[in-house]
Structure formats: structure tokens, C-alpha cells
Amino acid sequence: MCHHCVTDSVKRRMLSRRDFLGAALAAAAAVALASTAQAPAALAAGAAKVEDLTHELHHDFPTYFGEPGITVTPKFIWAEHKFNLNTIALNEHTGTHMDAPLHFSADGQSVNEIPVGSLVVPLAVVDIREKAAQNPDAQVTPDDLAAWQAAHGDFPEGCCVAMLSGWSEKVSGDGFRNADSAGVMHFPGFHVEAAKMLLEQTSAVGMAVDTLSLDHGPSGDFATHYAWLPTNRWGIECLANLERLPATGATLIVGAPKVRGGTGGPARIFALV
């Protein structure tokens, strides 16, 4: 075969291969674009907005033990290395975060073992702001849960039940921990009997609060933690913006960390409404 013929043959094969690859990449891009366009499936199904339920995490964010829960140390900086990278020292239970079952049990699920299907769930918001404004030690009780059911029907299957106490408004000051002169904190939480009612009468998989703990501030025995978490149900603490959500109808999405053996961790949590 002449040199010219060989050259033309190679060109045709290259063009043919290029066309094939181009078509394949175009098809892949179309699939990716379609996937991206459908990304929030709940939005496509009729949800109108996304609400961020996560506080910004920083060194001075209030913590249960009163000590900084996160320290961010620059390891590489743009001016010197032309890229940025931080080293983070972290208490797992800092900021808006998840409590995995392992947090209060000997052998419960660690945060990486929680089934992903349990992290996208219906949300039920129980509003106790009125009594929390009168009593910082207010708790969600079985009566509050019964009142919610009377107004909205049964709790949705596999839902998360969240307490709205209004406490997130205090996150920038000492009022979030609200410790007295003896160091005892005062903020709302779930009563253990409410936790037991959810365990016995509903299929709820999660419990959430807008305060530092599932138990109210003065608790010395963590009764709600011990009743709830060892059943391989999870908790969320320090939620933000619950007041922007309806009592029922929102979908909660928990971006839980997937740290092997973790007892919890800061999470990006949001709701589709």
C-alpha cells in the first residue's frame, strides 16, 4: 500500500475513533446532566425550597463541656505554597452534629454503619417555644407528642422527630449553654418518657433538638440518650432554622460523616420543603 494510502487509512481510523469517543463522551455528559438536573429528587417531586438546618462551625461555637470543640490550623497557605490546606482537631460532638447509636451504647452502630436510607427521612417538628420561653428546663413530653398527633395525624413512617424550642437564637452568646453559678446548664430537651413513647408507638428513626443535648440541660443521667441511642436510632443536636419549617411535610437530609468507628460528628443537615 502506498504511503499516501496508509496515511489516509490512519486518518480515517483516527477520525472514526474520535467520532466514537466524542459520541460516547457526549452521551455520558447527557446522562450526567440529566442526573444533575434530577439531583434533588424531592424538589422534582414538588418541593419548593431547601432550608439549611446547620450552624456555621467555628472555634467559639458553644459546646456541652464549655471548651472549644474545633481548632483549625493552616498547614499550607496560598501565599507560600500556592494552595490552602488546614489541619482540623475536632470533638465529634461539636456544632450541628449527629449522635450515632455507639455514642451511648457498648456495641451500637457507629456513624459509618448507619444505613444511608435512614438519613433521608420525613421530618416532624414539635414546637414547644411557648413553654421554653417561660421555663428554660422545659421538655418535650408525651402530652406534646399527643398534641402533635391530634393536630397532624400519626408520625410519618421512619421519621425524625425534632424539638423546636427557639434556642438556636441564643447560639451566639452564653445563653445557649445557660449555665448557672454552679455550672448547671439550663436548656430544653426531650423527656425520657417522650422518647419511650416514640420507641413504643412509632417507627421514628431519629430525634433532633435545637439545643446542646437530647436531654435537657439539668439532666445528670442522660436518660433520654440511654433510652434512645442503644436501639440503633440516631440523634441530632444544635439544629438551626427549624422555625422555617412546617410541622409536617418536610424531608430531612442528614449529611452524616462516614468515619469508621465514629460516635457521631458534625454534619451538614438540610430540609426539602
Side-chain angles (χ1 to χ4, degrees):
M1 184 179 289
C2 67
H3 177 73
H4 177 72
C5 294
V6 171
T7 302
D8 282 349
S9 177
V10 170
K11 283 183 178 179
R12 284 195 300 271
R13 289 183 182 180
M14 289 180 66
L15 288 172
S16 177
R17 186 167 183 240
R18 188 176 301 160
D19 290 343
F20 172 77
L21 289 174
L25 289 172
V31 171
L33 182 60
S35 298
T36 302
Q38 297 172 2
L43 284 177
K49 61 180 178 178
V50 180
E51 290 289 358
D52 192 353
L53 306 183
T54 315
H55 288 290
E56 184 179 59
L57 182 55
H58 54 85
H59 183 266
D60 296 321
F61 192 93
T63 64
Y64 189 87
F65 296 106
E67 303 170 349
I70 183 171
T71 301
V72 180
T73 305
K75 185 175 180 65
F76 297 96
I77 59 174
W78 179 260
E80 185 176 349
H81 306 101
K82 297 306 178 188
F83 69 98
N84 296 304
L85 186 150
N86 298 320
T87 298
I88 297 178
L90 180 70
N91 177 321
E92 291 174 308
H93 299 272
T94 300
T96 302
H97 67 274
M98 164 169 274
D99 283 6
L102 184 60
H103 185 36
F104 270 77
S105 62
D107 55 2
Q109 293 170 337
S110 57
V111 70
N112 59 298
E113 294 173 330
I114 298 173
V116 69
S118 297
L119 301 177
V120 181
V121 297
L123 180 64
V125 180
V126 179
D127 189 344
I128 65 163
R129 284 178 291 182
E130 185 175 344
K131 69 177 183 179
Q134 299 173 0
N135 175 16
D137 296 331
Q139 298 181 78
V140 176
T141 65
D143 287 344
D144 294 313
L145 299 181
W148 190 98
Q149 290 177 304
H152 307 290
D154 292 339
F155 286 101
E157 289 294 315
C159 70
C160 172
V161 179
M163 174 192 76
L164 169 57
S165 70
W167 221 250
S168 65
E169 298 175 0
K170 305 174 184 288
V171 75
S172 297
D174 293 338
F176 197 66
R177 295 185 76 248
N178 200 28
D180 60 26
S181 58
V184 176
M185 292 180 288
H186 299 275
F187 54 74
F190 274 85
H191 194 284
V192 65
E193 292 302 325
K196 291 178 180 178
M197 177 177 170
L198 291 174
L199 289 171
E200 295 168 1
Q201 300 182 24
T202 79
S203 62
V205 299
M207 175 185 292
V209 295
D210 55 359
T211 59
L212 281 167
S213 176
L214 302 180
D215 288 272
H216 71 159
S219 173
D221 58 7
F222 298 104
T224 298
H225 278 82
Y226 280 116
W228 186 257
L229 295 178
T231 64
N232 274 340
R233 290 168 172 82
W234 46 260
I236 299 172
E237 294 165 340
C238 299
L239 279 179
N241 301 322
L242 278 174
E243 69 279 358
R244 299 180 183 177
L245 302 179
T248 186
T251 297
L252 186 72
I253 299 179
V254 183
K258 199 171 182 180
V259 179
R260 185 179 299 174
T263 70
R268 190 65 181 266
I269 299 172
F270 51 99
L272 304 180
V273 186

